[in-house]
Amino acid sequence: KSSPADFFDITEWMVDALTLKEGKEKKFMKLGQAQMDENICFVLMNENGKISKVLFPGQVPEDITLKRDKKADEIAEKVVQWITHGETFFHSFRVTGTSFQQRVYTATQKIPKGKVTTYKVVAEKIGTKAYRAVGQALGANPVPLLVPCHRVVGSDRRLTGFGAGIELKRKILEAEGVGFEGEKVKKEYILQEI
């Protein structure tokens, strides 16, 4: 198991590379990171200790100045455990977005571990037929896992749209106990209402 100190050089580079341009107000965030295979997961927390962003391997935070934080490192390690072993956790988080996005995020949080539902079911839950807009809202979700957008699939039971890639989406769902037949989620794991 890697320790947070193993990534210090990367953090130093990121702090330099991500400082906002002169003339703009600087926004400081607490940074946590944890090793996952050959990649790194990042967690960004605001000054109040609430998670504001979870970034999977291949995603890099932008437009902020980062300060390494032990608690954020612990949360990043929990993110890795969730992805690899299905070990869920809860930590307070802050999500901004439109009223529509907020309704989508609230409905999505009702999907339990080990189950999935469709974009259509989420849309119906919030009183709309705008299934694609639900997908767009989930695509803007800054705290995947905590707002479990990975638990939403296409009506044909296939995995669709996930910022970190379909392969990682499947890995997370399998770690949570969801079964597949080929490229589709098995019917018994699909919720018809939430």
Side-chain angles (χ1 to χ4, degrees), residues 6-191:
D6 295 338
F7 312 121
F8 187 74
D9 292 338
I10 293 171
T11 304
E12 288 300 308
W13 169 79
M14 289 181 66
V15 168
D16 292 339
L18 299 173
T19 301
L20 288 175
K21 294 177 182 175
E22 190 175 355
K24 291 185 178 179
E25 181 182 331
K26 290 186 178 182
K27 181 178 177 185
F28 292 93
M29 299 291 285
K30 297 175 183 178
L31 168 72
Q33 57 191 40
Q35 187 78 31
M36 188 177 105
D37 302 321
E38 278 111 45
N39 297 298
I40 298 173
C41 287
F42 296 100
V43 170
L44 304 179
M45 298 173 77
N46 65 21
E47 64 281 351
N48 298 323
K50 291 185 177 181
I51 297 171
S52 60
K53 200 158 190 83
V54 173
L55 299 168
F56 293 127
Q59 299 174 321
V60 180
E62 298 176 9
D63 294 337
I64 50 178
T65 298
L66 305 168
K67 180 182 178 191
R68 196 61 185 272
D69 183 79
K70 183 179 176 182
K71 180 66 176 173
D73 280 340
E74 291 170 7
I75 299 296
E77 185 59 42
K78 289 180 179 186
V79 167
V80 170
Q81 293 303 308
W82 190 325
I83 293 169
T84 58
H85 302 292
E87 296 175 13
T88 61
F89 72 92
F90 181 80
H91 187 84
S92 59
F93 59 91
R94 183 173 185 275
V95 187
T96 58
T98 66
S99 169
F100 180 81
Q101 287 171 324
Q102 295 291 335
R103 291 188 352 249
V104 169
Y105 299 156
T106 299
T108 303
Q109 287 182 283
K110 296 179 187 321
I111 307 166
K113 175 182 173 182
K115 296 289 184 181
V116 299
T117 197
T118 65
Y119 295 97
K120 179 181 178 183
V121 169
V122 174
E124 289 170 349
K125 177 70 176 175
I126 65 169
T128 184
K129 291 185 179 190
Y131 315 140
R132 287 181 189 223
V134 167
Q136 290 173 335
L138 291 175
N141 174 17
V143 289
L145 300 181
L146 298 173
V147 174
C149 54
H150 62 283
R151 295 182 187 153
V152 183
V153 301
S155 292
D156 63 357
R157 299 183 292 135
R158 292 183 191 274
L159 303 185
T160 60
F162 192 62
I166 299 301
E167 188 177 307
L168 185 60
K169 184 172 185 172
R170 182 174 178 141
K171 180 177 182 169
I172 296 167
L173 289 171
E174 287 176 332
E176 291 182 342
V178 174
F180 287 82
E181 48 193 19
E183 298 298 313
K184 295 183 177 184
V185 173
K186 289 183 177 179
K187 290 179 182 177
E188 61 263 31
Y189 295 97
I190 305 280
L191 295 174

